Amino acid sequence: ATAPAPAAAPAPAAAPAAGETAVTSPMPGTVLGVKVNAGDRVTAGQTMFIIEAMKMENEIVAPVDGTVASIAVKAGDSVDTDQVMGVLK
């Protein structure tokens, strides 16, 4: 008998295009909340996501002013370190 094929890894979020900024998770955790929607204007330092890591809630903030181009996660999703959670343009 042959061994079953390994499950395919989930496709990574598309890399941001020129002029766009990726908002990434600084640590592995679980997304507790998404505080913005695609099309929203955000300012640097504004909370975009809340993740739980090591039983602590962590705010993931916008690194720059911009408009939310896309959101790649939803509440309940698991994220890894440096995973793209959203993109600003």
Side-chain angles (χ1 to χ4, degrees):
T2 59
E20 294 183 334
T21 302
V23 179
T24 59
S25 174
M27 65 197 75
T30 302
V31 178
L32 295 181
V34 177
K35 302 298 183 183
V36 295
N37 296 301
D40 288 356
R41 293 271 316 144
V42 296
T43 56
Q46 179 178 338
T47 300
M48 294 182 63
F49 306 97
I50 307 281
I51 64 171
E52 179 184 21
M54 296 180 288
K55 299 186 181 185
M56 294 180 60
E57 290 186 14
N58 300 278
E59 295 182 349
I60 310 306
V61 300
V64 296
D65 293 350
T67 301
V68 179
S70 64
I71 301 291
V73 296
K74 64 185 179 311
D77 285 354
S78 292
V79 292
D80 290 319
T81 302
D82 296 328
Q83 180 175 331
V84 175
M85 298 179 73
V87 175
L88 299 176
K89 60 179 177 181

